[in-house]
Amino acid sequence: MSNRRAAWSAVTVSLCLFVPVAAQAESAFTDHRGKTITFQTPPERVVTIVRSAPIIYRAVDETADHIVGMNKDSLDRYFTEGIYTEMIPEMSKISTSAAQEGFVPNVEAILAEKPDAVIQWTHDEKLIGPLERVGLTVVGWQCCTEQDRLDYVTLTGYMTGRNDRAQAILKSQSDSLGALSERVSVLAGADMPSVLHIDQIGDQYRVIANGSQDLSLSGVTNPAADGSGEWWRTVDMEQLLVWNPDIIIIPAYAAELDPQDFFDDPLLANMAAVQAGRVYKQPVFARTPDAPEIFLTSVWLAAIAHGSEYAPAFKTQITDVYKLIYGADLSGDQIKAVLESDSNAPAFDYAELFG
């Protein structure tokens, strides 16, 4: 364990064990830089520059009232259309002047919001330094392991004073993945189909070679993984045919691609996944890899790979998770949209799996 992680874990344990939730006025915790952050009371005015931070903060805090600014990319990606716009429409009204392009902060605009705290990435000192030099309190998040994503929820719990909410959300994930792990643990290696995530076809084929999702949770393997740390790889048709995956997954963010695009492409016709009709578009809950509901992706993929018994009552689970995290009562049509049911209509067994 790294010194940074050890220090953060120690603070986390001490806060959880020795400070009653109801008594938490002052909150002290360690961010992903190993820096101790202290709030006498939960911040009333928060600016987020990390794209997914508004979603996480709204989920844990149960209100958008304390988010006074965010990255323009957050609005463009998540709050102009789709399920978040329907569930939490108030997010689209938040100022987007904090960062207009990428994560470079607009310090003058952020100061104008008089924030008590700013959430920013840690990977480049130039992203945090200008904020701290003008006296702003910055909570640093690092990217992008599975543990980091769990930490985002926990850190937000300490910021908001809602450790109870943060832990309830994390428990929902751990309970779900724990149950899934029990089902997957009985699978032999030969029973684990190969899965390739492809987000670009045509003149070039781009695959996710070394993504952060733990595919073993779903009982599948990734033939493109090579341990290099290179997230994406652009490959030719010959390489695709060498891998020849059992299943192809289209990432949720690849809005321009659908399974039918693969089925209609004569160059892809000889791939095993295409011939079997096993090309699927990820559901909307995978649109941002940091969203609190991202764990549903592992359950969904296990059902795709091994059958509905790996995701029993999945629609009910989706309903319960969105109710817990966002306080939303999803309609049947919304669940259908979340599952990308229309896009996945031509894919093998999709209607049978998810209705």
Side-chain angles (χ1 to χ4, degrees), residues 38-60:
T38 302
F39 293 111
Q40 297 302 315
T41 59
E44 291 290 323
R45 301 180 64 80
V46 176
V47 168
T48 65
I49 301 177
V50 175
R51 286 192 188 107
S52 56
I55 296 172
I56 299 168
Y57 209 91
R58 167 60 177 77
V60 175

Side-chain angles (χ1 to χ4, degrees), residues 16-189:
C16 289
L17 292 179
F18 303 117
V19 182
V21 171
Q24 285 186 24
E26 179 179 296
S27 176
F29 57 89
T30 306
D31 73 0
H32 277 156
R33 297 170 291 168
K35 182 170 183 176
T36 299
I37 309 294
T38 302
F39 293 111
Q40 297 302 315
T41 59
E44 291 290 323
R45 301 180 64 80
V46 176
V47 168
T48 65
I49 301 177
V50 175
R51 286 192 188 107
S52 56
I55 296 172
I56 299 168
Y57 209 91
R58 167 60 177 77
V60 175
D61 205 24
E62 290 191 285
T63 179
D65 292 349
H66 302 130
I67 307 172
V68 297
M70 64 183 178
N71 187 333
K72 186 175 183 297
D73 286 348
S74 300
L75 174 68
D76 293 342
R77 286 173 180 249
Y78 308 127
F79 306 124
T80 56
E81 61 180 359
I83 193 65
Y84 293 125
T85 302
E86 296 173 16
M87 292 190 305
I88 43 179
E90 65 272 20
M91 303 299 287
S92 65
K93 300 178 176 64
I94 296 171
S95 169
T96 59
S97 60
Q100 288 296 302
E101 186 174 340
F103 308 108
V104 177
N106 182 334
V107 177
E108 184 177 347
I110 292 171
L111 285 172
E113 298 292 351
K114 297 180 172 56
D116 303 308
V118 180
I119 298 174
Q120 175 63 302
W121 289 126
T122 64
H123 63 267
D124 187 340
E125 172 57 29
K126 293 191 290 292
L127 300 179
I128 289 182
L131 298 168
E132 292 189 324
R133 283 196 290 273
V134 296
L136 294 169
T137 298
V138 180
V139 179
W141 288 8
Q142 76 176 14
C143 182
C144 298
T145 69
E146 180 60 27
Q147 184 58 54
D148 290 334
R149 293 187 178 111
L150 299 176
D151 293 352
Y152 302 157
V153 177
T154 304
L155 289 168
T156 303
Y158 292 136
M159 285 185 69
T160 60
R162 296 300 311 274
N163 296 316
D164 56 334
R165 282 279 302 160
Q167 295 309 308
I169 290 170
L170 292 175
K171 185 176 185 300
S172 175
Q173 169 169 329
S174 62
D175 287 352
S176 177
L177 295 184
L180 180 62
S181 179
E182 289 183 8
R183 298 185 181 97
V184 169
S185 65
V186 302
L187 295 172

